[in-house]
Amino acid sequence: MAVPVEETGISEINVYEERNGIQLAKARGIGLDIGTSAIKAIELQQSPAGMELLHYAVLPVPAGTIRNGVITNPADIGAVIKHVFKTGKIHDKEVYVAIAGQSVVVRQVRFPDMPADEVHNAIQWEADKYLPFSPEEAVIDFHIIGPAENEGEIEVMLVAAQNELVNSHVAAIEVAGLTPVAMDVQPFAILRSLGLESLESQRCSGLIDIGAGTTDVVIFKGDSLKFTRIIPFGGQRFTEAVAEGMNCGFSEADDMKLQAGKVFFGDEPEINDPNNLSVKIFGILRPVLEEFLLEVRRSIDYYKLQNRGESIDELVLTGGGSKLVGLERMLEGELGIPARIGNPFENIKINPRQFNVATLTNLAPMLAVGIGLALRGVEEA
Ligand SMILES: Nc1ncnc2c1ncn2[C@@H]1O[C@H](COP(=O)(O)OP(=O)(O)OP(=O)(O)O)[C@@H](O)[C@H]1O
Ligand SMILES: [Mg+2]
């Protein structure tokens, strides 16, 4: 599903290579993830040998230039994007991007069974019922999921984004000299990046991407999407708490969180040492962790309520926030659902002569959105 930006026609990303006299089709795709804390670009290539990482680069975003998903200064962000492409040696210009934040709404709604063009009309008529902003100020798209539980009804995923947010992204991308082919909403990109959807399996998984500004929750069963929510709460809130508690600046607090941030469970020997920095930070993070947990729990409870108490088999975490030591164990213990950190590189070949595998493994959770977008680029090439 996408919020189309432009009709670009057939993209010319397919390249052909002569190898042993046989022409091999290679499809390429570029994902550009303009995150609140960092911009990531990923270029993937699908060839008969499989999916492979061609190029990538990550650069930090100047503090405060992205608020609630809206780019407040497209010229600055455009310059960073340009730099990211140069650093990563990415030369193609057509990119897939993702949007998230409070100006993006993803809602599952039910309609009487009707063809897609009628759903389109019904949504135009009824959009103001579902959106916290005026439909005139928004780009609206939808996707028919399938029959609803009630006979004669269909389940429809409604996606809307405020023009201001969409336009700010297009402006920044154009400043960088690139062309946005399509915009995905972040939860869909994450879902694609982990490749967990399966027709055969009836496993129900919950994906939680903890970014700097937002946390995206996606619940799906087998190959069908059941629920998505964008929670306006992420790693930035944890850093702000540390900055306040330790009486220091944001970037010093972020370093401190990265070096010493840890969730304790009471069975660690250092928990009784009042001078231990990790213990101190944990004391500061505790109320924020509880607030975070409450938001995740709410999403899961809502899903269960809508799906006759259906249980979730596993939680898969991505995003930089998932790297907080002990967080997955905390979610597992509090929610009673097995949790692990997802690896979006699981089905992607990495050439160890070209890339530092340890660095990539470390960055992997943060690259899920970019990889999911690049995979879409490859699919549509
Ligand atoms: N080791 C770590 N421990 C705790 N937090 C971490 C760690 N590494 C990164 N983070 C946090 O992860 C966040 C960045 O993650 P990510 O790159 O996924 O976010 P983003 O994509 O920029 O934000 P968003 O998706 O909300 O727009 C920051 O808040 C950072 O402090
Ligand atoms: Mg992100």
Side-chain angles (χ1 to χ4, degrees):
M1 166 144 38
V3 181
V5 177
E6 282 188 353
E7 288 297 325
T8 54
I10 299 163
S11 61
E12 291 295 325
I13 322 179
N14 261 319
V15 293
Y16 287 88
E17 190 186 70
E18 194 96 19
R19 194 185 288 167
N20 301 328
I22 307 163
Q23 289 226 306
L24 301 174
K26 286 184 173 181
R28 289 181 179 185
I30 302 172
L32 172 62
D33 174 14
I34 308 174
T36 308
S37 72
I39 294 178
K40 302 99 172 165
I42 312 274
E43 185 168 26
L44 296 178
Q45 175 169 274
Q46 167 89 71
S47 71
M51 191 68 76
E52 135 189 49
L53 177 66
L54 270 192
H55 300 107
Y56 86 97
V58 179
L59 285 177
V61 163
T65 29
I66 299 179
R67 287 206 198 98
N68 294 328
V70 177
I71 299 171
T72 57
N73 189 335
D76 282 1
I77 292 294
V80 181
I81 296 173
K82 211 170 182 168
H83 200 181
V84 169
F85 272 60
K86 200 169 166 201
T87 310
K89 301 187 176 68
I90 305 175
H91 303 300
D92 282 333
K93 303 288 182 205
E94 293 187 335
V95 296
Y96 285 73
V97 285
I99 46 175
Q102 277 152 310
S103 321
V104 182
V105 171
V106 185
R107 281 203 57 179
Q108 218 154 305
V109 289
R110 287 183 190 145
F111 282 108
D113 195 358
M114 56 172 93
D117 54 338
E118 285 179 33
V119 173
H120 175 87
N121 291 338
I123 282 177
Q124 299 304 317
W125 280 108
E126 296 188 25
D128 54 350
K129 243 175 46 189
Y130 306 113
L131 306 182
F133 39 76
S134 154
E136 282 87 52
E137 296 167 14
V139 184
I140 302 172
D141 196 8
F142 70 91
H143 168 73
I144 298 175
I145 300 171
E149 279 194 358
N150 297 345
E151 210 170 314
E153 284 189 343
I154 48 169
E155 205 83 58
V156 174
M157 187 74 72
L158 170 71
V159 180
Q162 262 179 313
N163 288 337
E164 185 196 10
L165 174 130
V166 174
N167 295 341
S168 75
H169 275 69
V170 173
I173 293 161
E174 286 179 351
V175 166
L178 306 173
T179 308
V181 182
M183 282 189 184
D184 244 350
V185 281
Q186 218 162 261
F188 300 144
I190 295 156
L191 182 58
R192 202 179 303 108
S193 78
L194 293 172
L196 298 171
E197 296 156 282
S198 147
L199 258 179
E200 299 87 51
S201 152
Q202 274 310 298
R203 264 176 92 71
C204 180
S205 306
L207 310 185
I208 306 177
D209 182 278
I210 311 162
T214 58
T215 295
D216 303 317
V217 180
V218 182
I219 298 175
F220 72 97
K221 187 174 179 186
D223 71 335
S224 62
L225 187 62
K226 294 285 193 179
F227 171 90
T228 89
R229 184 170 165 228
I230 300 172
I231 304 171
F233 190 115
Q236 227 168 37
R237 286 282 288 278
F238 291 75
T239 303
E240 280 160 8
V242 175
E244 203 184 311
M246 301 299 284
N247 201 14
C248 64
F250 185 87
S251 96
E252 195 185 332
D254 204 53
D255 285 346
M256 229 183 259
K257 181 183 77 172
L258 264 57
Q259 302 307 323
K262 184 173 170 183
V263 182
F264 284 89
F265 300 90
D267 54 1
E268 300 87 348
E270 67 265 43
I271 191 81
N272 296 318
D273 174 4
N275 297 319
N276 183 296
L277 181 61
S278 294
V279 173
K280 215 167 173 173
I281 291 178
F282 176 57
I284 293 168
L285 289 182
R286 214 174 199 155
V288 195
L289 280 164
E290 269 162 23
E291 210 182 318
F292 172 75
L293 183 66
L294 182 71
E295 290 292 342
V296 174
R297 200 193 290 278
R298 265 192 195 142
S299 293
I300 290 174
D301 287 350
Y302 181 81
Y303 166 76
K304 285 187 173 167
L305 198 72
Q306 297 288 312
N307 291 275
R308 298 184 184 155
E310 170 124 46
S311 63
I312 295 173
D313 298 308
E314 66 165 351
L315 295 177
V316 186
L317 313 184
T318 54
S322 71
K323 290 168 66 69
L324 181 68
V325 178
L327 188 68
E328 83 269 31
R329 190 176 153 201
M330 180 192 97
L331 289 172
E332 191 167 296
E334 292 287 340
L335 301 168
I337 305 170
R340 64 183 172 93
I341 296 183
N343 177 16
F345 281 115
E346 211 161 275
N347 301 313
I348 297 172
K349 292 190 177 65
I350 298 169
N351 181 351
R353 286 191 302 271
Q354 189 185 349
F355 300 106
N356 181 327
V357 177
T359 306
L360 270 172
T361 307
N362 198 25
L363 282 173
M366 279 172 256
L367 301 180
V369 171
I371 290 174
L373 292 168
L375 286 171
R376 179 166 168 201
V378 169
E379 269 169 29
E380 295 181 4

mmCIF file with all atom_site columns, all heavy atoms in Angstrom, residues 17 19 23-27 45-54 346-350 378:
data_model
loop_
_atom_site.group_PDB
_atom_site.id
_atom_site.type_symbol
_atom_site.label_atom_id
_atom_site.label_alt_id
_atom_site.label_comp_id
_atom_site.label_asym_id
_atom_site.label_entity_id
_atom_site.label_seq_id
_atom_site.pdbx_PDB_ins_code
_atom_site.Cartn_x
_atom_site.Cartn_y
_atom_site.Cartn_z
_atom_site.occupancy
_atom_site.B_iso_or_equiv
_atom_site.pdbx_formal_charge
_atom_site.auth_seq_id
_atom_site.auth_comp_id
_atom_site.auth_asym_id
_atom_site.auth_atom_id
_atom_site.pdbx_PDB_model_num
ATOM 1   N N   . GLU A 1 17  ? 23.106 -7.551  -17.157 1.00 0.00 ? 17  GLU A N   1
ATOM 2   C CA  . GLU A 1 17  ? 24.540 -7.799  -17.178 1.00 0.00 ? 17  GLU A CA  1
ATOM 3   C C   . GLU A 1 17  ? 24.802 -9.061  -17.993 1.00 0.00 ? 17  GLU A C   1
ATOM 4   O O   . GLU A 1 17  ? 24.103 -10.061 -17.863 1.00 0.00 ? 17  GLU A O   1
ATOM 5   C CB  . GLU A 1 17  ? 25.048 -8.005  -15.755 1.00 0.00 ? 17  GLU A CB  1
ATOM 6   C CG  . GLU A 1 17  ? 26.552 -8.030  -15.696 1.00 0.00 ? 17  GLU A CG  1
ATOM 7   C CD  . GLU A 1 17  ? 27.019 -8.389  -14.289 1.00 0.00 ? 17  GLU A CD  1
ATOM 8   O OE1 . GLU A 1 17  ? 26.829 -9.537  -13.893 1.00 0.00 ? 17  GLU A OE1 1
ATOM 9   O OE2 . GLU A 1 17  ? 27.566 -7.513  -13.631 1.00 0.00 ? 17  GLU A OE2 1
ATOM 10  N N   . ARG A 1 19  ? 26.770 -12.178 -18.497 1.00 0.00 ? 19  ARG A N   1
ATOM 11  C CA  . ARG A 1 19  ? 27.697 -13.041 -17.772 1.00 0.00 ? 19  ARG A CA  1
ATOM 12  C C   . ARG A 1 19  ? 27.639 -14.420 -18.430 1.00 0.00 ? 19  ARG A C   1
ATOM 13  O O   . ARG A 1 19  ? 26.582 -15.018 -18.505 1.00 0.00 ? 19  ARG A O   1
ATOM 14  C CB  . ARG A 1 19  ? 27.285 -13.141 -16.303 1.00 0.00 ? 19  ARG A CB  1
ATOM 15  C CG  . ARG A 1 19  ? 28.389 -13.730 -15.451 1.00 0.00 ? 19  ARG A CG  1
ATOM 16  C CD  . ARG A 1 19  ? 27.920 -13.938 -14.041 1.00 0.00 ? 19  ARG A CD  1
ATOM 17  N NE  . ARG A 1 19  ? 27.759 -12.688 -13.279 1.00 0.00 ? 19  ARG A NE  1
ATOM 18  C CZ  . ARG A 1 19  ? 27.127 -12.641 -12.114 1.00 0.00 ? 19  ARG A CZ  1
ATOM 19  N NH1 . ARG A 1 19  ? 26.576 -13.692 -11.603 1.00 0.00 ? 19  ARG A NH1 1
ATOM 20  N NH2 . ARG A 1 19  ? 27.027 -11.492 -11.482 1.00 0.00 ? 19  ARG A NH2 1
ATOM 21  N N   . GLN A 1 23  ? 22.000 -13.349 -20.311 1.00 0.00 ? 23  GLN A N   1
ATOM 22  C CA  . GLN A 1 23  ? 21.571 -12.058 -19.771 1.00 0.00 ? 23  GLN A CA  1
ATOM 23  C C   . GLN A 1 23  ? 20.856 -12.293 -18.447 1.00 0.00 ? 23  GLN A C   1
ATOM 24  O O   . GLN A 1 23  ? 19.896 -13.043 -18.364 1.00 0.00 ? 23  GLN A O   1
ATOM 25  C CB  . GLN A 1 23  ? 20.617 -11.382 -20.753 1.00 0.00 ? 23  GLN A CB  1
ATOM 26  C CG  . GLN A 1 23  ? 21.316 -10.882 -21.995 1.00 0.00 ? 23  GLN A CG  1
ATOM 27  C CD  . GLN A 1 23  ? 20.881 -9.479  -22.315 1.00 0.00 ? 23  GLN A CD  1
ATOM 28  O OE1 . GLN A 1 23  ? 19.711 -9.218  -22.435 1.00 0.00 ? 23  GLN A OE1 1
ATOM 29  N NE2 . GLN A 1 23  ? 21.822 -8.573  -22.448 1.00 0.00 ? 23  GLN A NE2 1
ATOM 30  N N   . LEU A 1 24  ? 21.343 -11.655 -17.385 1.00 0.00 ? 24  LEU A N   1
ATOM 31  C CA  . LEU A 1 24  ? 20.718 -11.823 -16.083 1.00 0.00 ? 24  LEU A CA  1
ATOM 32  C C   . LEU A 1 24  ? 20.025 -10.523 -15.690 1.00 0.00 ? 24  LEU A C   1
ATOM 33  O O   . LEU A 1 24  ? 20.622 -9.467  -15.735 1.00 0.00 ? 24  LEU A O   1
ATOM 34  C CB  . LEU A 1 24  ? 21.786 -12.141 -15.037 1.00 0.00 ? 24  LEU A CB  1
ATOM 35  C CG  . LEU A 1 24  ? 22.631 -13.386 -15.280 1.00 0.00 ? 24  LEU A CG  1
ATOM 36  C CD1 . LEU A 1 24  ? 23.727 -13.479 -14.233 1.00 0.00 ? 24  LEU A CD1 1
ATOM 37  C CD2 . LEU A 1 24  ? 21.760 -14.629 -15.230 1.00 0.00 ? 24  LEU A CD2 1
ATOM 38  N N   . ALA A 1 25  ? 18.775 -10.644 -15.315 1.00 0.00 ? 25  ALA A N   1
ATOM 39  C CA  . ALA A 1 25  ? 18.061 -9.432  -14.895 1.00 0.00 ? 25  ALA A CA  1
ATOM 40  C C   . ALA A 1 25  ? 18.435 -9.114  -13.459 1.00 0.00 ? 25  ALA A C   1
ATOM 41  O O   . ALA A 1 25  ? 18.482 -9.988  -12.607 1.00 0.00 ? 25  ALA A O   1
ATOM 42  C CB  . ALA A 1 25  ? 16.571 -9.656  -14.999 1.00 0.00 ? 25  ALA A CB  1
ATOM 43  N N   . LYS A 1 26  ? 18.743 -7.861  -13.210 1.00 0.00 ? 26  LYS A N   1
ATOM 44  C CA  . LYS A 1 26  ? 19.044 -7.433  -11.841 1.00 0.00 ? 26  LYS A CA  1
ATOM 45  C C   . LYS A 1 26  ? 18.139 -6.263  -11.509 1.00 0.00 ? 26  LYS A C   1
ATOM 46  O O   . LYS A 1 26  ? 18.198 -5.230  -12.163 1.00 0.00 ? 26  LYS A O   1
ATOM 47  C CB  . LYS A 1 26  ? 20.497 -6.974  -11.753 1.00 0.00 ? 26  LYS A CB  1
ATOM 48  C CG  . LYS A 1 26  ? 21.497 -8.104  -11.773 1.00 0.00 ? 26  LYS A CG  1
ATOM 49  C CD  . LYS A 1 26  ? 22.870 -7.522  -11.593 1.00 0.00 ? 26  LYS A CD  1
ATOM 50  C CE  . LYS A 1 26  ? 23.894 -8.620  -11.424 1.00 0.00 ? 26  LYS A CE  1
ATOM 51  N NZ  . LYS A 1 26  ? 25.225 -8.036  -11.214 1.00 0.00 ? 26  LYS A NZ  1
ATOM 52  N N   . ALA A 1 27  ? 17.322 -6.442  -10.505 1.00 0.00 ? 27  ALA A N   1
ATOM 53  C CA  . ALA A 1 27  ? 16.442 -5.346  -10.113 1.00 0.00 ? 27  ALA A CA  1
ATOM 54  C C   . ALA A 1 27  ? 17.035 -4.669  -8.894  1.00 0.00 ? 27  ALA A C   1
ATOM 55  O O   . ALA A 1 27  ? 17.489 -5.327  -7.961  1.00 0.00 ? 27  ALA A O   1
ATOM 56  C CB  . ALA A 1 27  ? 15.064 -5.896  -9.811  1.00 0.00 ? 27  ALA A CB  1
ATOM 57  N N   . GLN A 1 45  ? 19.920 -5.144  -4.314  1.00 0.00 ? 45  GLN A N   1
ATOM 58  C CA  . GLN A 1 45  ? 19.844 -5.670  -5.679  1.00 0.00 ? 45  GLN A CA  1
ATOM 59  C C   . GLN A 1 45  ? 19.415 -7.131  -5.637  1.00 0.00 ? 45  GLN A C   1
ATOM 60  O O   . GLN A 1 45  ? 19.978 -7.922  -4.888  1.00 0.00 ? 45  GLN A O   1
ATOM 61  C CB  . GLN A 1 45  ? 21.215 -5.557  -6.345  1.00 0.00 ? 45  GLN A CB  1
ATOM 62  C CG  . GLN A 1 45  ? 21.254 -6.195  -7.726  1.00 0.00 ? 45  GLN A CG  1
ATOM 63  C CD  . GLN A 1 45  ? 22.534 -5.826  -8.440  1.00 0.00 ? 45  GLN A CD  1
ATOM 64  O OE1 . GLN A 1 45  ? 22.623 -4.785  -9.077  1.00 0.00 ? 45  GLN A OE1 1
ATOM 65  N NE2 . GLN A 1 45  ? 23.533 -6.677  -8.340  1.00 0.00 ? 45  GLN A NE2 1
ATOM 66  N N   . GLN A 1 46  ? 18.432 -7.421  -6.453  1.00 0.00 ? 46  GLN A N   1
ATOM 67  C CA  . GLN A 1 46  ? 17.975 -8.814  -6.575  1.00 0.00 ? 46  GLN A CA  1
ATOM 68  C C   . GLN A 1 46  ? 18.550 -9.375  -7.872  1.00 0.00 ? 46  GLN A C   1
ATOM 69  O O   . GLN A 1 46  ? 18.362 -8.798  -8.945  1.00 0.00 ? 46  GLN A O   1
ATOM 70  C CB  . GLN A 1 46  ? 16.442 -8.835  -6.632  1.00 0.00 ? 46  GLN A CB  1
ATOM 71  C CG  . GLN A 1 46  ? 15.831 -10.154 -7.054  1.00 0.00 ? 46  GLN A CG  1
ATOM 72  C CD  . GLN A 1 46  ? 15.590 -11.061 -5.868  1.00 0.00 ? 46  GLN A CD  1
ATOM 73  O OE1 . GLN A 1 46  ? 14.700 -10.809 -5.061  1.00 0.00 ? 46  GLN A OE1 1
ATOM 74  N NE2 . GLN A 1 46  ? 16.389 -12.107 -5.754  1.00 0.00 ? 46  GLN A NE2 1
ATOM 75  N N   . SER A 1 47  ? 19.271 -10.469 -7.754  1.00 0.00 ? 47  SER A N   1
ATOM 76  C CA  . SER A 1 47  ? 19.769 -11.130 -8.957  1.00 0.00 ? 47  SER A CA  1
ATOM 77  C C   . SER A 1 47  ? 19.458 -12.611 -8.795  1.00 0.00 ? 47  SER A C   1
ATOM 78  O O   . SER A 1 47  ? 18.985 -13.031 -7.738  1.00 0.00 ? 47  SER A O   1
ATOM 79  C CB  . SER A 1 47  ? 21.276 -10.898 -9.092  1.00 0.00 ? 47  SER A CB  1
ATOM 80  O OG  . SER A 1 47  ? 21.949 -11.638 -8.096  1.00 0.00 ? 47  SER A OG  1
ATOM 81  N N   . PRO A 1 48  ? 19.728 -13.437 -9.818  1.00 0.00 ? 48  PRO A N   1
ATOM 82  C CA  . PRO A 1 48  ? 19.439 -14.867 -9.640  1.00 0.00 ? 48  PRO A CA  1
ATOM 83  C C   . PRO A 1 48  ? 20.181 -15.451 -8.434  1.00 0.00 ? 48  PRO A C   1
ATOM 84  O O   . PRO A 1 48  ? 19.766 -16.464 -7.875  1.00 0.00 ? 48  PRO A O   1
ATOM 85  C CB  . PRO A 1 48  ? 19.930 -15.475 -10.950 1.00 0.00 ? 48  PRO A CB  1
ATOM 86  C CG  . PRO A 1 48  ? 19.776 -14.376 -11.946 1.00 0.00 ? 48  PRO A CG  1
ATOM 87  C CD  . PRO A 1 48  ? 20.123 -13.122 -11.194 1.00 0.00 ? 48  PRO A CD  1
ATOM 88  N N   . ALA A 1 49  ? 21.240 -14.795 -7.981  1.00 0.00 ? 49  ALA A N   1
ATOM 89  C CA  . ALA A 1 49  ? 21.975 -15.306 -6.818  1.00 0.00 ? 49  ALA A CA  1
ATOM 90  C C   . ALA A 1 49  ? 21.305 -14.928 -5.497  1.00 0.00 ? 49  ALA A C   1
ATOM 91  O O   . ALA A 1 49  ? 21.719 -15.378 -4.430  1.00 0.00 ? 49  ALA A O   1
ATOM 92  C CB  . ALA A 1 49  ? 23.398 -14.764 -6.846  1.00 0.00 ? 49  ALA A CB  1
ATOM 93  N N   . GLY A 1 50  ? 20.281 -14.093 -5.544  1.00 0.00 ? 50  GLY A N   1
ATOM 94  C CA  . GLY A 1 50  ? 19.577 -13.710 -4.315  1.00 0.00 ? 50  GLY A CA  1
ATOM 95  C C   . GLY A 1 50  ? 19.590 -12.207 -4.098  1.00 0.00 ? 50  GLY A C   1
ATOM 96  O O   . GLY A 1 50  ? 20.051 -11.444 -4.935  1.00 0.00 ? 50  GLY A O   1
ATOM 97  N N   . MET A 1 51  ? 19.083 -11.809 -2.934  1.00 0.00 ? 51  MET A N   1
ATOM 98  C CA  . MET A 1 51  ? 19.016 -10.385 -2.590  1.00 0.00 ? 51  MET A CA  1
ATOM 99  C C   . MET A 1 51  ? 20.339 -9.984  -1.953  1.00 0.00 ? 51  MET A C   1
ATOM 100 O O   . MET A 1 51  ? 20.853 -10.681 -1.086  1.00 0.00 ? 51  MET A O   1
ATOM 101 C CB  . MET A 1 51  ? 17.869 -10.167 -1.600  1.00 0.00 ? 51  MET A CB  1
ATOM 102 C CG  . MET A 1 51  ? 17.521 -8.729  -1.363  1.00 0.00 ? 51  MET A CG  1
ATOM 103 S SD  . MET A 1 51  ? 16.788 -7.936  -2.805  1.00 0.00 ? 51  MET A SD  1
ATOM 104 C CE  . MET A 1 51  ? 15.134 -8.630  -2.753  1.00 0.00 ? 51  MET A CE  1
ATOM 105 N N   . GLU A 1 52  ? 20.884 -8.850  -2.401  1.00 0.00 ? 52  GLU A N   1
ATOM 106 C CA  . GLU A 1 52  ? 22.208 -8.481  -1.892  1.00 0.00 ? 52  GLU A CA  1
ATOM 107 C C   . GLU A 1 52  ? 22.258 -6.989  -1.564  1.00 0.00 ? 52  GLU A C   1
ATOM 108 O O   . GLU A 1 52  ? 21.580 -6.183  -2.199  1.00 0.00 ? 52  GLU A O   1
ATOM 109 C CB  . GLU A 1 52  ? 23.233 -8.916  -2.945  1.00 0.00 ? 52  GLU A CB  1
ATOM 110 C CG  . GLU A 1 52  ? 24.294 -7.946  -3.286  1.00 0.00 ? 52  GLU A CG  1
ATOM 111 C CD  . GLU A 1 52  ? 25.112 -8.400  -4.500  1.00 0.00 ? 52  GLU A CD  1
ATOM 112 O OE1 . GLU A 1 52  ? 24.551 -8.782  -5.550  1.00 0.00 ? 52  GLU A OE1 1
ATOM 113 O OE2 . GLU A 1 52  ? 26.332 -8.323  -4.370  1.00 0.00 ? 52  GLU A OE2 1
ATOM 114 N N   . LEU A 1 53  ? 23.054 -6.642  -0.530  1.00 0.00 ? 53  LEU A N   1
ATOM 115 C CA  . LEU A 1 53  ? 23.245 -5.238  -0.169  1.00 0.00 ? 53  LEU A CA  1
ATOM 116 C C   . LEU A 1 53  ? 24.267 -4.635  -1.124  1.00 0.00 ? 53  LEU A C   1
ATOM 117 O O   . LEU A 1 53  ? 25.387 -5.127  -1.244  1.00 0.00 ? 53  LEU A O   1
ATOM 118 C CB  . LEU A 1 53  ? 23.759 -5.143  1.274   1.00 0.00 ? 53  LEU A CB  1
ATOM 119 C CG  . LEU A 1 53  ? 24.075 -3.734  1.774   1.00 0.00 ? 53  LEU A CG  1
ATOM 120 C CD1 . LEU A 1 53  ? 22.814 -2.877  1.875   1.00 0.00 ? 53  LEU A CD1 1
ATOM 121 C CD2 . LEU A 1 53  ? 24.778 -3.778  3.136   1.00 0.00 ? 53  LEU A CD2 1
ATOM 122 N N   . LEU A 1 54  ? 23.858 -3.551  -1.820  1.00 0.00 ? 54  LEU A N   1
ATOM 123 C CA  . LEU A 1 54  ? 24.789 -2.902  -2.747  1.00 0.00 ? 54  LEU A CA  1
ATOM 124 C C   . LEU A 1 54  ? 25.508 -1.749  -2.053  1.00 0.00 ? 54  LEU A C   1
ATOM 125 O O   . LEU A 1 54  ? 26.710 -1.630  -2.117  1.00 0.00 ? 54  LEU A O   1
ATOM 126 C CB  . LEU A 1 54  ? 24.010 -2.319  -3.942  1.00 0.00 ? 54  LEU A CB  1
ATOM 127 C CG  . LEU A 1 54  ? 23.772 -3.179  -5.170  1.00 0.00 ? 54  LEU A CG  1
ATOM 128 C CD1 . LEU A 1 54  ? 23.270 -2.285  -6.293  1.00 0.00 ? 54  LEU A CD1 1
ATOM 129 C CD2 . LEU A 1 54  ? 25.023 -3.922  -5.599  1.00 0.00 ? 54  LEU A CD2 1
ATOM 130 N N   . GLU A 1 346 ? 18.444 -10.877 7.538   1.00 0.00 ? 346 GLU A N   1
ATOM 131 C CA  . GLU A 1 346 ? 18.420 -12.345 7.546   1.00 0.00 ? 346 GLU A CA  1
ATOM 132 C C   . GLU A 1 346 ? 18.472 -12.943 6.130   1.00 0.00 ? 346 GLU A C   1
ATOM 133 O O   . GLU A 1 346 ? 19.162 -13.922 5.905   1.00 0.00 ? 346 GLU A O   1
ATOM 134 C CB  . GLU A 1 346 ? 17.178 -12.827 8.278   1.00 0.00 ? 346 GLU A CB  1
ATOM 135 C CG  . GLU A 1 346 ? 17.396 -14.146 8.980   1.00 0.00 ? 346 GLU A CG  1
ATOM 136 C CD  . GLU A 1 346 ? 16.335 -14.363 10.049  1.00 0.00 ? 346 GLU A CD  1
ATOM 137 O OE1 . GLU A 1 346 ? 16.545 -13.856 11.165  1.00 0.00 ? 346 GLU A OE1 1
ATOM 138 O OE2 . GLU A 1 346 ? 15.304 -14.998 9.740   1.00 0.00 ? 346 GLU A OE2 1
ATOM 139 N N   . ASN A 1 347 ? 17.743 -12.360 5.188   1.00 0.00 ? 347 ASN A N   1
ATOM 140 C CA  . ASN A 1 347 ? 17.701 -12.930 3.839   1.00 0.00 ? 347 ASN A CA  1
ATOM 141 C C   . ASN A 1 347 ? 18.460 -12.080 2.824   1.00 0.00 ? 347 ASN A C   1
ATOM 142 O O   . ASN A 1 347 ? 18.156 -12.110 1.633   1.00 0.00 ? 347 ASN A O   1
ATOM 143 C CB  . ASN A 1 347 ? 16.242 -13.092 3.395   1.00 0.00 ? 347 ASN A CB  1
ATOM 144 C CG  . ASN A 1 347 ? 15.488 -13.984 4.350   1.00 0.00 ? 347 ASN A CG  1
ATOM 145 O OD1 . ASN A 1 347 ? 15.979 -15.053 4.712   1.00 0.00 ? 347 ASN A OD1 1
ATOM 146 N ND2 . ASN A 1 347 ? 14.317 -13.541 4.806   1.00 0.00 ? 347 ASN A ND2 1
ATOM 147 N N   . ILE A 1 348 ? 19.420 -11.283 3.316   1.00 0.00 ? 348 ILE A N   1
ATOM 148 C CA  . ILE A 1 348 ? 20.171 -10.399 2.411   1.00 0.00 ? 348 ILE A CA  1
ATOM 149 C C   . ILE A 1 348 ? 21.667 -10.727 2.503   1.00 0.00 ? 348 ILE A C   1
ATOM 150 O O   . ILE A 1 348 ? 22.215 -10.832 3.613   1.00 0.00 ? 348 ILE A O   1
ATOM 151 C CB  . ILE A 1 348 ? 19.912 -8.911  2.777   1.00 0.00 ? 348 ILE A CB  1
ATOM 152 C CG1 . ILE A 1 348 ? 18.427 -8.607  2.572   1.00 0.00 ? 348 ILE A CG1 1
ATOM 153 C CG2 . ILE A 1 348 ? 20.792 -7.972  1.942   1.00 0.00 ? 348 ILE A CG2 1
ATOM 154 C CD1 . ILE A 1 348 ? 17.996 -7.252  3.079   1.00 0.00 ? 348 ILE A CD1 1
ATOM 155 N N   . LYS A 1 349 ? 22.283 -10.907 1.346   1.00 0.00 ? 349 LYS A N   1
ATOM 156 C CA  . LYS A 1 349 ? 23.726 -11.234 1.346   1.00 0.00 ? 349 LYS A CA  1
ATOM 157 C C   . LYS A 1 349 ? 24.539 -9.963  1.563   1.00 0.00 ? 349 LYS A C   1
ATOM 158 O O   . LYS A 1 349 ? 24.257 -8.919  0.962   1.00 0.00 ? 349 LYS A O   1
ATOM 159 C CB  . LYS A 1 349 ? 24.124 -11.828 -0.005  1.00 0.00 ? 349 LYS A CB  1
ATOM 160 C CG  . LYS A 1 349 ? 23.535 -13.185 -0.260  1.00 0.00 ? 349 LYS A CG  1
ATOM 161 C CD  . LYS A 1 349 ? 24.186 -13.781 -1.510  1.00 0.00 ? 349 LYS A CD  1
ATOM 162 C CE  . LYS A 1 349 ? 23.668 -15.169 -1.766  1.00 0.00 ? 349 LYS A CE  1
ATOM 163 N NZ  . LYS A 1 349 ? 22.230 -15.196 -2.104  1.00 0.00 ? 349 LYS A NZ  1
ATOM 164 N N   . ILE A 1 350 ? 25.567 -10.084 2.436   1.00 0.00 ? 350 ILE A N   1
ATOM 165 C CA  . ILE A 1 350 ? 26.459 -8.949  2.696   1.00 0.00 ? 350 ILE A CA  1
ATOM 166 C C   . ILE A 1 350 ? 27.869 -9.403  2.323   1.00 0.00 ? 350 ILE A C   1
ATOM 167 O O   . ILE A 1 350 ? 28.348 -10.411 2.847   1.00 0.00 ? 350 ILE A O   1
ATOM 168 C CB  . ILE A 1 350 ? 26.410 -8.546  4.185   1.00 0.00 ? 350 ILE A CB  1
ATOM 169 C CG1 . ILE A 1 350 ? 24.995 -8.094  4.566   1.00 0.00 ? 350 ILE A CG1 1
ATOM 170 C CG2 . ILE A 1 350 ? 27.428 -7.461  4.493   1.00 0.00 ? 350 ILE A CG2 1
ATOM 171 C CD1 . ILE A 1 350 ? 24.786 -7.930  6.055   1.00 0.00 ? 350 ILE A CD1 1
ATOM 172 N N   . VAL A 1 378 ? 12.763 -2.911  -5.169  1.00 0.00 ? 378 VAL A N   1
ATOM 173 C CA  . VAL A 1 378 ? 13.190 -4.071  -5.967  1.00 0.00 ? 378 VAL A CA  1
ATOM 174 C C   . VAL A 1 378 ? 11.965 -4.768  -6.572  1.00 0.00 ? 378 VAL A C   1
ATOM 175 O O   . VAL A 1 378 ? 11.941 -5.096  -7.758  1.00 0.00 ? 378 VAL A O   1
ATOM 176 C CB  . VAL A 1 378 ? 13.997 -5.060  -5.085  1.00 0.00 ? 378 VAL A CB  1
ATOM 177 C CG1 . VAL A 1 378 ? 14.220 -6.377  -5.818  1.00 0.00 ? 378 VAL A CG1 1
ATOM 178 C CG2 . VAL A 1 378 ? 15.328 -4.443  -4.673  1.00 0.00 ? 378 VAL A CG2 1
#
